[in-house]
Amino acid sequence: NAGVTQTPKFQVLKTGQSMTLQCAQDMNHEYMSWYRQDPGMGLRLIHYSVGAGITDQGEVPNGYNVSRSTTEDFPLRLLSAAPSQTSVYFCASSYSRTGGLVEQYFGPGTRLTVT
Amino acid sequence: GDSVTQMEGPVTLSEEAFLTINCTYTATGYPSLFWYVQYPGEGLQLLLKATKADDKGSNKGFEATYRKETTSFHLEKGSVQVSDSAVYFCALSDSGNTPLVFGKGTRLSVIA
């Protein structure tokens, strides 16, 4: 099992450019999510998905789009990059049970700088 | 809504010192509780978890007990090592498919 993989590891964008951060998991998890991590802010949820074809917004969704066409993939799109989107982005996946999510598995992160 | 509050860092300890990182939570149901650890330059990884009241999670010398009466899940280790230097996150998972709720993280530095 590769677990949760993210590409690229590092990216520099100019303001206004668009790009897609890739996330894939090979554990057949229904649940996937995207977080951003900024100094002193902990993890903030951007978008999440409870299964293929289903997505929902998290705490900080503005400026980002997601789609979930397959169980394995959950790409995050930046529509028009802004310096405020400079951050480290983590993708995570989990399976759920009636009592709630079982542990989340995190990818290694993508460090994005917008100039 | 659900929330997790953990002690502010950074925490600096000498090697072999005792560690406590406090975590309290607010939840409507009976959540599962987790501690995650993030080593420098890496993603988060699960350190330990507890799914019901009075459960004790343990791993790598770390322990935390699910205390429903005080809504707490404090992380402890009897003797820290330099290799324990990392950021520690407390989190909860409530029922259904609601996202995990994380605390803001506590940075631990252990010096030799």
Side-chain angles (χ1 to χ4, degrees):
Chain A
N1 273 355
V4 179
T5 57
Q6 292 183 237
T7 54
K9 289 195 172 191
F10 301 94
Q11 182 70 49
V12 178
L13 290 178
K14 291 188 180 351
T15 297
Q17 287 185 314
S18 63
M19 81 158 293
T20 299
L21 307 186
Q22 301 292 345
C23 174
Q25 52 92 8
D26 61 358
M27 297 172 282
N28 203 32
H29 287 165
E30 312 102 330
Y31 184 94
M32 296 185 74
S33 55
W34 277 102
Y35 295 87
R36 58 178 289 172
Q37 184 176 33
D38 303 295
M41 300 291 289
L43 291 170
R44 292 187 290 171
L45 182 66
I46 304 171
H47 285 284
Y48 66 100
S49 167
V50 299
I54 306 168
T55 63
D56 208 344
Q57 296 182 351
E59 180 186 356
V60 289
N62 291 343
Y64 307 94
N65 271 359
V66 292
S67 60
R68 183 96 181 270
S69 55
T70 67
T71 299
E72 294 78 19
D73 300 300
F74 191 44
L76 178 73
R77 280 182 287 278
L78 279 71
L79 309 172
S80 176
S84 60
Q85 293 178 305
T86 294
S87 188
V88 181
Y89 291 85
F90 289 101
C91 179
S93 75
S94 174
Y95 61 94
S96 63
R97 293 188 178 139
T98 305
L101 293 178
V102 186
E103 66 169 287
Q104 283 196 309
Y105 292 80
F106 283 79
T110 295
R111 186 175 296 273
L112 175 68
T113 302
V114 183
T115 62
Chain B
D2 295 348
S3 66
V4 173
T5 303
Q6 60 182 107
M7 62 188 288
E8 301 270 337
V11 174
T12 302
L13 294 174
S14 297
E15 210 167 21
E16 299 184 4
F18 185 85
L19 168 71
T20 300
I21 301 178
N22 290 339
C23 171
T24 57
Y25 68 90
T26 303
T28 51
Y30 297 94
S32 295
L33 301 174
F34 307 87
W35 276 102
Y36 282 83
V37 59
Q38 183 181 30
Y39 298 105
E42 298 183 10
L44 279 71
Q45 51 186 278
L46 182 69
L47 180 59
L48 53 85
K49 66 181 180 183
T51 58
K52 60 183 188 298
D54 299 325
D55 266 3
K56 179 187 280 190
S58 62
N59 186 23
K60 298 182 182 180
F62 291 89
E63 292 183 340
T65 301
Y66 189 142
R67 300 283 187 205
K68 187 168 178 293
E69 63 276 12
T70 54
T71 61
S72 64
F73 193 54
H74 305 322
L75 182 68
E76 295 182 337
K77 186 175 186 183
S79 176
V80 294
Q81 305 300 312
V82 172
S83 57
D84 294 326
S85 298
V87 181
Y88 293 82
F89 292 90
C90 186
L92 70 82
S93 170
D94 215 329
S95 60
N97 280 325
T98 52
L100 256 66
V101 177
F102 285 87
K104 290 193 181 299
T106 303
R107 182 176 299 277
L108 169 67
S109 295
V110 181
I111 53 178

